[in-house]
Amino acid sequence: MDSSTSHSKKIPRRPLLLLATALASWIGCAFYSLHFNPDVTYYRHGYLLKHQWAEKMTREHGAKTIVYGGSSCEFSIDGERLLSNFSEPVVNYGGHAGMGAVMLTEAALSDVRRGDTLIVALEPGLLTQPLGNEPILAAQFSFAMHHPNWVLHPTLGVGRENWFQAAASLRPGGYLAFTMLGKWLRGQPSYRYQVSDFHPSGWAETPVRVPMTIAPGHGPELSEGGRQLLSNLSRWCQTNGVRVAYALPWAYCPPNEIANYRKLNAEFLADIMTILPVLRDDSLGADPDAGDYADTGWHLTRTAAERRSDEFGRQIQKWDMWTREKLDLAITALPTQ
Amino acid sequence: MNFAESRFWGLLAAGMTVILLLRWVLGTSLGKRREDFDKAALLSLGLFLLICVSWVTFLIFLLVAVLSYVGLQWILRQDQRSWHRYLFVLIPLQLAPLVYYKYANFAVNQVLGFDVPSLRHLVIPVGISFYSFQKVAFVVDTLAFKQPLPRFLDYLNFAGFFPQIVAGPIERRKDLLPQMQGFRFRWLPEELNYGAERIALGLFFKLCLADNLAAFFDGASTQNAYEIWLANVVFGFRIYYDFAGYSLIALGLASMLGVRLTLNFASPYCSTSMIEFWRRWHITLSQWFRDYLYVPLGGGRVRWWAFNVALVFVVSGAWHGAGWNFIFWGAVHGLALIVNRILGRRMKLRPAAGWMLTMLTSFCAWLGFYETRTPVLAAKLKTLLTPHAYGGSALHEALNNWSSGSGFVVFCFLVLTTMVLVLEWQSVARRDTPYYYLCRPPVLVALVILTVILAPGKSNGFIYFAF
């Protein structure tokens, strides 16, 4: 058979129809993800506020402190209170834990300047789970913020995605699509939080209350990706004249599980200390008072956030760090459950 | 060679671009050698994709392929009466890498009780179970039907055809080899249409159904019968749509290259008996076990047929993995088939009752597939078989758990899965053509839209890559 007979001139319509359908669906999904996804809309507003506050702090105070992590950070550190009570210019760069450790770090780094202090307050789970397969919310948020480089060319070189992967993430995904459907069927608002929950420094509070029941959990040690991320961050901070430390977020823990949870956190901190200094907090991230929490075991109420902010202010002013000996003593002092 | 990853499609596109460019540049100068060029190009593409998986995967594949060909060539030169004796040497040699990678840890560390850490971390080369079986079948068929040894190039294309090399379908010499011997890159519209339909359906099965069900699978409960059943159902759907999805994409890719592969799944969850289930589930593996183990043992015409069935299913369980859980899975299916065959002759069940019994058995058996810890498997099985585990308090607890968290999302995916199953059932019942209605253009368009919207961000590997 020569080449002329091995090809047909007839156009195969089915592949073209299916490709066109996929492309049109993706365009619709991308438009929705960037403009109507409630997570993205809420956090885009929040990050613009955080950015404005960061610029204001730099302008008025020179060096500032940026604290970042997932929503546990967002709901716990009140920058305005720290400024008025401790004269500490602090920006709360807490975001959605669903964006992943890489995205949260990249977004925070965008406002870090030479001479600043950077406090990593990522939830342990974000650093103990494997990195590399970044959540779709990360790409959606970076594109919505007009910073696609956060996923395409991350400053720390961890969790890099190619254009195709990033573009393919501009879709809602099954979880969001059906959660939205459920909310619509039940007549609930599309998102639990409102942009009015944000305060200018980036701290947020919510009037929603949900009973607390279970303790959070995480692996005892950093994942390979988590270790690489923190190591690269440490090097970057050193190169760029930024002081850096880790602060363990507070989480609700039922009283009968508190010793075990503190031990788990202490093991995790011991691992972190091999890379970054860790702010000393004797509670070891476990809080048995359910009344301190709003709608999840990570989101503090206003009163608890005030207490947490005051503790945080004292810690960064004294630059009080855990040492291995003190941490070992704290572990030994914990009762066995 | 993960069809669910963009990397695979990028590499395939790059490889095809190079081939088409070369074909165009060389043009008429190839003359009569164009067919050889096409065959060599197909082989190079397959080997290139295999190297991109890993060098170990590539080298083990090459070892088994060359060993099978050279061994067969040598046997064919011997006296015909002694062929079967040499077969007893060649087949174990062909299966040696598979046995080593799959069972060395289980046999040495678990059964014999030694402690060899290096065996614990053995990574099974992708596709080894599938291509090893295909090559065993090739050797046996060549000798049994006194077929000539094909050209090495054609043989390598048969053994390493990239759409099916890593997870089947396990093709036979008579079906695939002639297509490889006459292979040319042909772009026939009907084949491209057929291929695009299968790829779209396969991607929907994998990305939309299997990957989402995988994200919400929760096999933690050992005490609550309802939660264990839900886990079994979610896993049962997941593994079906995962593997059937892969097989459909393989079928579609092959079709686009002008090659027809065997349909590996034919809507197994529409079966009304276990015998029918095994005619619809992983068809090429079932046929392989039938032709190369069950029939040589005497098949169903001997008095010890029940033993033959049990043995085939226990071996099939062990093929899936080295662990007691897989033996349990195989034993349940073997027992169910024996009961089906004995009772099927004496009593006629209504199709609905037969379907219910078949689903109960197959979904119960999935426990052995996902629960690899033997004591936990035993505890779950005990719960499932304990009548008072189905009490009101257990139901209340399960409903409470399902109503919180992602329960509604799981419910939605199960509804979507049910709708797809109804279309599968209608395709089988009305047209006797699996997936007929799912491949109709309006339905396919809807499925493509659903795939784009619902596919989760995190892609999972195909379950059968581990087997």
Side-chain angles (χ1 to χ4, degrees):
Chain A
M1 192 185 289
D2 64 32
S3 64
S4 62
T5 58
S6 66
H7 300 267
S8 170
K9 300 290 179 203
K10 210 171 136 191
I11 297 167
R13 290 189 180 171
R14 203 61 52 82
L16 296 177
L17 169 73
L18 297 174
L19 275 175
T21 305
L23 187 66
S25 312
W26 175 78
I27 290 170
C29 283
F31 189 74
Y32 169 84
S33 299
L34 298 179
H35 298 282
F36 298 106
N37 180 336
D39 284 315
V40 173
T41 314
Y42 172 78
Y43 278 101
R44 187 172 49 203
H45 176 86
Y47 270 77
L48 288 175
L49 279 179
K50 293 166 202 280
H51 175 65
Q52 282 167 8
W53 185 259
E55 285 196 326
K56 183 174 151 62
M57 292 300 105
T58 305
R59 207 168 45 241
E60 294 175 4
H61 301 273
K64 63 187 180 294
T65 297
I66 284 186
V67 54
Y68 83 95
S71 58
S72 66
C73 173
E74 179 194 343
F75 283 90
S76 62
I77 307 293
D78 179 355
E80 288 157 275
R81 185 180 177 86
L82 283 159
L83 188 61
S84 61
N85 292 4
F86 293 86
S87 303
E88 284 287 344
V90 174
V91 190
N92 183 333
Y93 247 96
H96 193 316
M99 291 178 194
V102 172
M103 179 77 254
L104 293 166
T105 307
E106 291 295 322
L109 286 183
S110 65
D111 266 324
V112 175
R113 304 284 176 267
R114 185 171 285 276
D116 284 353
T117 297
L118 180 68
I119 305 294
V120 184
L122 290 165
E123 288 83 345
L126 290 177
L127 292 167
T128 54
Q129 71 190 13
L131 304 184
N133 200 349
E134 292 309 304
I136 56 176
L137 192 57
Q140 293 179 11
F141 181 68
S142 71
F143 277 75
M145 294 298 292
H146 307 292
H147 283 293
N149 55 313
W150 288 347
V151 288
L152 298 172
H153 305 287
T155 313
L156 300 180
V158 180
R160 177 172 291 149
E161 291 188 353
N162 61 41
W163 264 101
F164 185 85
Q165 287 170 321
S169 297
L170 305 180
R171 304 172 299 102
Y175 182 79
L176 179 70
F178 285 137
T179 304
M180 296 300 286
L181 175 69
K183 285 179 176 174
W184 179 71
L185 288 174
R186 281 175 248 173
Q188 292 175 346
S190 63
Y191 203 53
R192 179 181 284 184
Y193 311 115
Q194 296 173 356
V195 289
S196 57
D197 292 344
F198 275 113
H199 291 263
S201 69
W203 169 58
E205 59 172 328
T206 176
V208 182
R209 292 293 178 270
V210 175
M212 298 299 118
T213 48
I214 50 167
H218 57 81
E221 55 185 39
L222 292 166
S223 65
E224 200 181 317
R227 194 176 300 282
Q228 197 190 348
L229 180 77
L230 293 186
S231 303
N232 292 5
L233 178 66
S234 171
R235 269 196 298 276
W236 185 89
C237 288
Q238 213 168 13
T239 312
N240 291 279
V242 174
R243 190 169 63 154
V244 62
Y246 179 80
L248 190 65
W250 284 5
Y252 167 70
C253 183
N256 60 331
E257 294 176 43
I258 206 149
N260 284 342
Y261 186 56
R262 282 185 173 148
K263 269 184 190 156
L264 180 68
N265 281 344
E267 281 179 53
F268 169 74
L269 290 183
D271 202 13
I272 293 259
M273 280 165 62
T274 59
I275 306 167
L276 296 178
V278 177
L279 282 177
R280 182 176 167 178
D281 175 3
D282 290 330
S283 74
L284 281 169
D287 175 8
D289 185 355
D292 282 347
Y293 293 86
D295 61 325
T296 80
W298 293 100
H299 296 175
L300 294 174
T301 58
R302 170 185 271 267
T303 338
E306 286 172 357
R307 216 170 65 242
R308 169 69 173 135
S309 301
D310 291 347
E311 289 259 352
F312 181 76
R314 274 191 288 276
Q315 286 165 13
I316 53 169
Q317 272 195 338
K318 285 165 64 185
W319 202 242
D320 186 11
M321 298 291 148
W322 279 111
T323 61
R324 189 62 219 229
E325 293 73 30
K326 284 179 189 168
L327 192 62
D328 286 343
L329 275 175
I331 296 171
T332 319
L334 288 170
T336 311
Q337 282 185 339
Chain B
M1 227 177 283
N2 185 342
F3 299 159
E5 282 182 356
S6 56
R7 181 171 176 263
F8 166 78
W9 296 97
L11 290 169
L12 180 62
M16 284 306 297
T17 308
V18 171
I19 289 171
L20 294 178
L21 273 175
L22 274 175
R23 221 168 172 261
W24 179 69
V25 168
L26 296 173
T28 48
S29 66
L30 282 170
K32 288 181 179 175
R33 294 169 69 187
R34 182 175 282 271
E35 193 170 297
D36 278 348
F37 173 85
D38 282 1
K39 287 177 184 177
L42 178 69
L43 177 64
S44 308
L45 181 62
L47 297 181
F48 162 70
L49 291 170
L50 215 51
I51 289 169
C52 291
V53 175
S54 80
W55 275 98
V56 174
T57 302
F58 167 72
L59 290 173
I60 298 285
F61 162 78
L62 214 58
L63 172 76
V64 179
V66 172
L67 178 82
S68 302
Y69 190 83
V70 173
L72 183 62
Q73 195 175 35
W74 188 82
I75 292 176
L76 284 169
R77 283 199 210 115
Q78 310 307 311
D79 182 6
Q80 205 169 308
R81 283 168 298 183
S82 59
W83 280 2
H84 65 282
R85 268 186 280 146
Y86 297 119
L87 209 53
F88 281 107
V89 178
L90 182 58
I91 292 176
L93 283 174
Q94 286 177 294
L95 296 176
L98 170 68
V99 171
Y100 172 72
Y101 278 103
K102 220 162 179 173
Y103 307 106
N105 176 44
F106 181 70
V108 174
N109 288 336
Q110 289 187 41
V111 177
L112 298 175
F114 291 107
D115 185 22
V116 185
S118 57
L119 291 180
R120 251 181 245 125
H121 307 295
L122 278 180
V123 179
I124 301 172
V126 174
I128 190 167
S129 304
F130 294 90
Y131 62 68
S132 296
F133 271 32
Q134 182 161 314
K135 285 162 192 165
V136 166
F138 171 79
V139 167
V140 173
D141 286 354
T142 304
L143 296 177
F145 300 107
K146 299 184 178 60
Q147 295 291 307
L149 193 69
R151 286 173 68 199
F152 191 56
L153 180 62
D154 294 333
Y155 162 76
L156 274 184
N157 268 326
F158 161 82
F161 185 47
F162 74 86
Q164 49 95 227
I165 188 173
V166 293
I170 303 166
E171 292 292 345
R172 302 298 179 79
R173 176 185 168 126
K174 67 178 169 49
D175 298 319
L176 188 57
L177 186 64
Q179 298 190 70
M180 290 301 143
Q181 286 170 324
F183 180 80
R184 287 287 304 274
F185 285 108
R186 298 183 182 95
W187 317 112
L188 303 172
E190 54 271 29
E191 292 298 312
L192 292 172
N193 286 339
Y194 180 88
E197 287 168 3
R198 266 65 198 168
I199 290 173
L201 183 59
L203 286 173
F204 169 76
F205 277 6
K206 168 64 182 163
L207 298 176
C208 187
L209 297 182
D211 282 357
N212 274 307
L213 289 169
F216 300 109
F217 169 74
D218 178 8
S221 177
T222 55
Q223 302 294 324
N224 191 306
Y226 298 101
E227 290 186 3
I228 298 172
W229 273 114
L230 180 70
N232 288 4
V233 167
V234 169
F235 183 83
F237 285 147
R238 183 218 167 169
I239 194 168
Y240 165 51
Y241 287 113
D242 190 274
F243 197 11
Y246 172 87
S247 300
L248 282 166
I249 299 169
L251 205 74
L253 270 174
S255 176
M256 287 189 144
L257 292 166
V259 175
R260 281 292 171 123
L261 296 180
T262 312
L263 188 68
N264 221 4
F265 288 83
S267 302
Y269 288 142
C270 300
S271 309
T272 54
S273 71
M274 286 309 288
I275 292 174
E276 188 186 352
F277 180 86
W278 278 103
R279 286 185 187 134
R280 295 182 177 278
W281 181 278
H282 203 173
I283 296 166
T284 54
L285 181 72
S286 306
Q287 288 173 346
W288 194 96
F289 275 116
R290 182 195 65 198
D291 295 346
Y292 302 103
L293 189 60
Y294 184 63
V295 171
L297 285 170
R301 294 168 192 269
V302 290
R303 273 186 297 156
W304 59 89
W305 66 267
F307 170 78
N308 291 348
V309 172
L311 183 71
V312 164
F313 274 91
V314 168
V315 173
S316 170
W319 175 85
H320 283 91
W324 297 114
N325 54 310
F326 290 111
I327 305 288
F328 161 80
W329 173 82
V332 169
H333 275 280
L335 187 67
L337 244 93
I338 293 167
V339 171
N340 189 173
R341 186 164 163 183
I342 293 171
L343 295 184
R345 290 172 183 159
R346 294 175 195 171
M347 53 194 278
K348 194 82 182 158
L349 278 180
R350 285 176 179 277
W355 178 79
M356 283 287 286
L357 272 176
T358 307
M359 292 308 108
L360 267 176
T361 311
S362 56
F363 281 106
C364 178
W366 286 129
L367 192 56
F369 238 74
Y370 71 80
E371 189 48 78
T372 53
R373 300 161 298 177
T374 313
V376 183
L377 169 65
K380 287 182 175 180
L381 197 60
K382 190 180 163 197
T383 303
L384 289 185
L385 298 175
T386 308
H388 66 74
Y390 294 88
S393 60
L395 180 62
H396 186 254
E397 185 192 326
L399 287 174
N400 261 349
N401 287 344
W402 295 338
S403 61
S404 63
S406 50
F408 181 74
V409 180
V410 177
F411 171 77
C412 288
F413 276 111
L414 289 178
V415 169
L416 182 61
T417 306
T418 308
M419 288 161 69
V420 172
L421 281 176
V422 168
L423 285 176
E424 288 189 39
W425 168 56
Q426 286 296 300
S427 303
V428 171
R430 289 191 183 187
R431 297 276 178 167
D432 199 22
T433 308
Y435 314 116
Y436 175 84
Y437 288 113
L438 287 169
C439 288
R440 303 310 299 150
V443 179
L444 266 184
V445 165
L447 297 186
V448 167
I449 294 170
L450 283 174
T451 307
V452 174
I453 296 172
L454 300 178
K458 289 186 179 179
S459 75
N460 295 289
F462 286 93
I463 295 180
Y464 264 73
F465 281 9
F467 295 146

